[in-house]
Amino acid sequence: MTAAWTIEGAKARRGKALVLDGAGLSVAPGEVLGVVGPNGAGKTSLLRAGLGLMPLETGRALLGGRAIGGLNPIERARLVGYLPQERRLAWNLPALDVAALGAPDLPPGEALAVARERLTRVGMSHLAERGVLDMSGGERARVLLARLLATRAPLLVADEPVAGLDPDAQLLTLDLLRAQASAGAAVVVTLHDLGLAARACDRVLVLDHGRVAADGAPLEALSPTVLADVFRLDGALVETPAGLVVAARRTLSQREREGPTP
């Protein structure tokens, strides 16, 4: 089976700073891949570089086995739907119109029908006619998720889709992305909550300083050693009735253990 998205040996800079140092990923249809790592580890940079939105010094990115540089914008849009971390919108369009922007390939009437159905999925059908700038941040995030789902693309890439959402909305978001994978899509999602990543993802890729520190099933990728080395946490994944959670505490530095200087 051809991978839906492959990034190999990605090296990239932002200004003079090296943000990717040989990182890569691969995700197959039907799979949910979680990308985690400390702040500044290179998560967003990896997604953007792999989608052709950030230049690579070395490495390559393939969508459906095709080099991303050889795809025109229409071909790229058919292969991947992207939800960036930034949720800023310039115009106060109704939520229905914003969600319909995810289906530009459909006639207007069909695009609106798809958008309305996706708004229903994310629990926002009652606000379909409200302007997105008149909404809370969490409501706007749901509308943008509906727009992502409206793309019907075989690869869905979501950068921090649960940031700022209440717990129920976080779980709903991940359930909807999991449903897309069950229907055959490949899903890549960046997360800061390691427990959510462990419960929602088939595989977890851990980035640290622009490099892949671990890649595997959640219990393997988020082992006590990885938690300690990458996240500076003393702990482990623990199975609960609700799924895996991270039971951990910060690893104190020598200075913190010694306490304040008299």
Side-chain angles (χ1 to χ4, degrees):
M1 181 184 297
T2 301
W5 193 25
T6 303
I7 307 170
E8 298 175 340
K11 184 176 181 180
R13 297 179 187 272
R14 186 177 294 114
K16 294 183 178 180
L18 184 65
V19 293
L20 294 175
D21 189 10
L25 62 77
S26 181
V27 61
E31 184 178 34
V32 179
L33 173 66
V35 180
V36 303
N39 291 330
K43 299 183 295 295
T44 296
S45 295
L46 182 61
L47 301 189
R48 287 178 54 81
L51 293 173
L53 302 175
M54 180 178 181
L56 285 172
E57 284 188 12
T58 60
R60 66 173 187 161
L62 306 173
L63 281 176
R66 301 172 62 187
I68 195 162
L71 300 172
N72 63 43
I74 294 176
E75 291 172 323
R76 200 176 300 185
R78 287 173 178 159
L79 290 171
V80 59
Y82 175 47
L83 179 61
Q85 191 175 133
E86 292 292 334
R87 296 173 181 165
R88 289 180 294 183
L89 293 165
W91 295 283
N92 196 24
L93 295 173
L96 183 62
D97 290 348
V98 171
L101 293 173
D105 58 314
L106 296 178
E110 291 183 29
L112 289 173
V114 169
R116 194 175 295 278
E117 193 277 335
R118 299 317 192 254
L119 286 172
T120 299
R121 287 193 198 181
V122 303
M124 291 293 291
S125 60
H126 63 297
L127 297 180
E129 307 304 327
R130 179 176 294 182
V132 289
L133 299 185
D134 297 326
M135 295 179 173
S136 70
E139 290 170 338
R140 195 154 50 244
R142 290 196 190 204
V143 173
L144 293 176
L145 175 62
R147 184 182 69 182
L148 175 69
L149 298 177
T151 65
R152 298 154 290 118
L155 168 64
L156 299 179
V157 179
D159 193 1
E160 290 292 341
V162 304
L165 298 182
D166 62 51
D168 178 71
Q170 290 182 353
L171 295 175
L172 171 64
T173 296
L174 294 174
D175 283 348
L176 289 171
L177 292 173
R178 163 57 65 187
Q180 294 301 113
S182 296
V187 176
V188 177
V189 56
T190 66
L191 295 163
H192 275 294
D193 188 316
L194 302 181
L196 284 179
R199 292 197 297 278
C201 301
D202 300 303
R203 281 193 301 120
V204 175
L205 184 145
V206 181
L207 285 178
D208 189 27
H209 296 97
R211 300 177 180 177
V212 175
D215 181 1
L219 284 170
E220 173 190 345
L222 296 174
S223 67
T225 299
V226 173
L227 292 177
D229 292 345
V230 176
F231 297 97
R232 310 296 182 260
L233 295 175
D234 177 14
L237 287 179
V238 177
E239 187 69 62
T240 75
L244 293 168
V245 299
V246 176
R249 60 185 177 184
R250 291 181 59 236
T251 301
L252 299 181
S253 67
Q254 181 66 33
R255 184 172 182 177
E256 287 176 310
R257 289 195 296 270
E258 292 173 351
T261 304

